[in-house]
Amino acid sequence: MSSDSSSAVIGWFAALVGTIGFGSFAVPIKGDAADSVNIDPLVMQSYKTIMCLNAGIAISQGIVSSSIVTVSFIWGHFVFHEPVNNQLAAYAAVVVIMTGLIGMSYFSSTESLSNGSASSHSEEEHVQDLLRNKDFSFQNDETADLGPLEITQQISRFRRHDILIHGRSYSRRNLGRLSALMCGVWGGSILVPMHYSTGNTSGLGYVISFSTGALAVTITLWILRFGYNLFTTKSVMDSFNALPSFHFRVMMLPGAISGTVWSIGNVGSILAVEYLGQGVGYSASQAALFVSGMWGICYFKEVVNPSVIVKWFLSALLTISGILLLGYVSSPAGPGRR
């Protein structure tokens, strides 16, 4: 087997590992344990970082994955000039992948949207009464001085579809879509620095550098969260008490498993980029939406309508076909292969 063939095999196997890891890491935090404590996103990110949320597991990554594919391909093809055997076919493959990803996301969220609409009207009326009367009687003495964002966490017991920020109500779904788009644009670029690494800092060596950066950012976010609490409460002790709980007794095991699985997926995606290039390797890893969708449909039963499931699988087939086409027209061109 030639060197290029060996590199391709390693790269595609790594992409498969990344796909399974990225598609399964949310499973441990989808259970009743995490739901029972309403885990804060920053806490979940901390668990994930140490070991290196508002739709269903089959819904959450459609916009993220499709935008990551786009951004990764732009970096790989237009910035790093990674070779392809047929440019037109490569562009078509990216479009096919994005279409399939959006289709999987759409058809997995159809039933979720219809089920949620039935109860949203009565909840909306109740929360509007709370806001008009400023009836925050459910607060206790420890939360009385908190700002709008913290008050929102209390209101969320009654309202699942909106978020109150500085007196204005925003749709949770719309904010989630915006966050997903930002995550996708940012996520498609996170391995770009590896292309400029030298010596042993590429490939597996890049994992340590990546983990160090993730740890630094997570710590910074905790400091900023504490600073915001301090600004609103004017008390160091109250600011500390207002920080979200880690819920160690409940979340230690699922959080650790989730972080470990994500880290395995991250190592796989790094090796995929190393051997296949940014445009192909990281794009292929976004087939994780297929894995997470399978979890959501087969295990969590988030979608039960047979016609919707068939449409989802057709979208999945389209995504896989696009990935295979992209692999067929591309050459191994990772940072370590030049």
Side-chain angles (χ1 to χ4, degrees):
M1 184 179 291
S2 66
S3 177
D4 285 346
S5 298
S6 299
S7 299
V9 170
I10 295 173
W12 283 106
F13 178 77
L16 177 62
V17 172
T19 294
I20 295 174
F22 285 157
S24 303
F25 83 90
V27 173
I29 59 174
K30 179 67 178 174
D32 294 336
D35 291 341
S36 67
V37 295
N38 191 25
I39 195 73
D40 188 271
L42 183 55
V43 173
M44 199 62 250
Q45 175 62 33
S46 299
Y47 277 115
K48 192 167 72 174
T49 301
I50 291 172
M51 299 308 297
C52 67
L53 253 160
N54 290 309
I57 188 174
I59 301 170
S60 58
Q61 295 189 26
I63 298 174
V64 175
S65 297
S66 58
S67 53
I68 283 179
V69 169
T70 304
V71 173
S72 295
F73 186 77
I74 290 174
W75 276 110
H77 186 66
F78 295 102
V79 178
F80 300 121
H81 305 292
E82 294 171 350
V84 292
N85 300 324
N86 187 314
Q87 288 193 356
L88 184 60
Y91 298 151
V94 171
V95 173
V96 169
I97 293 172
M98 292 178 59
T99 303
L101 290 172
I102 293 173
M104 282 193 289
S105 178
Y106 175 78
F107 291 119
S108 60
S109 64
T110 301
E111 293 186 12
S112 172
L113 287 170
S114 60
N115 292 338
S117 62
S119 60
S120 61
H121 183 67
S122 59
E123 291 182 0
E124 176 72 20
E125 290 181 344
H126 181 66
V127 174
Q128 289 298 335
D129 289 338
L130 284 175
L131 296 178
R132 278 195 297 269
N133 299 327
K134 294 182 173 56
D135 180 13
F136 297 126
S137 57
F138 51 81
Q139 291 179 280
N140 54 35
D141 293 338
E142 293 181 356
T143 60
D145 295 329
L146 297 182
L149 287 175
E150 285 71 31
I151 290 176
T152 302
Q153 295 173 356
Q154 301 291 333
I155 295 177
S156 64
R157 291 187 300 170
F158 301 95
R159 183 188 223 162
R160 295 294 182 184
H161 303 286
D162 297 306
I163 294 179
L164 184 69
I165 301 178
H166 293 292
R168 296 191 62 181
S169 178
Y170 298 89
S171 166
R172 294 177 69 92
R173 187 166 296 276
N174 289 338
L175 286 178
R177 288 169 177 167
L178 178 61
S179 299
L181 180 60
M182 294 172 60
C183 180
V185 172
W186 199 259
S189 305
I190 61 174
L191 296 184
V192 168
M194 189 173 72
H195 289 259
Y196 301 100
S197 61
T198 58
N200 296 325
T201 58
S202 186
L204 285 177
Y206 186 76
V207 175
I208 303 301
S209 177
F210 183 95
S211 302
T212 302
L215 179 62
V217 170
T218 303
I219 292 175
T220 300
L221 289 175
W222 277 102
I223 294 174
L224 292 175
R225 184 75 168 262
F226 177 80
Y228 172 79
N229 291 342
L230 184 61
F231 176 77
T232 56
T233 65
K234 313 299 182 185
S235 168
V236 174
M237 186 58 65
D238 290 343
S239 300
F240 179 79
N241 291 333
L243 291 173
S245 171
F246 272 82
H247 301 287
F248 286 114
R249 185 172 299 178
V250 176
M251 288 303 302
M252 175 60 77
L253 181 59
I257 294 174
S258 176
T260 301
V261 173
W262 185 90
S263 297
I264 292 173
N266 187 51
V267 171
S269 68
I270 288 175
L271 290 177
V273 171
E274 171 75 4
Y275 286 95
L276 300 178
Q278 179 77 25
V280 178
Y282 210 61
S283 295
S285 298
Q286 298 317 302
L289 186 62
F290 173 78
V291 177
S292 63
M294 289 294 290
W295 277 107
I297 292 173
C298 300
Y299 183 76
F300 293 110
K301 309 298 182 183
E302 292 177 353
V303 182
V304 295
N305 188 321
S307 64
V308 175
I309 293 177
V310 169
K311 293 174 183 177
W312 185 90
F313 272 104
L314 289 176
S315 299
L317 180 62
L318 195 63
T319 300
I320 295 174
S321 299
I323 292 175
L324 292 176
L325 176 60
L326 185 61
Y328 179 76
V329 301
S330 301
S331 301
R337 306 300 305 165
R338 293 198 195 123

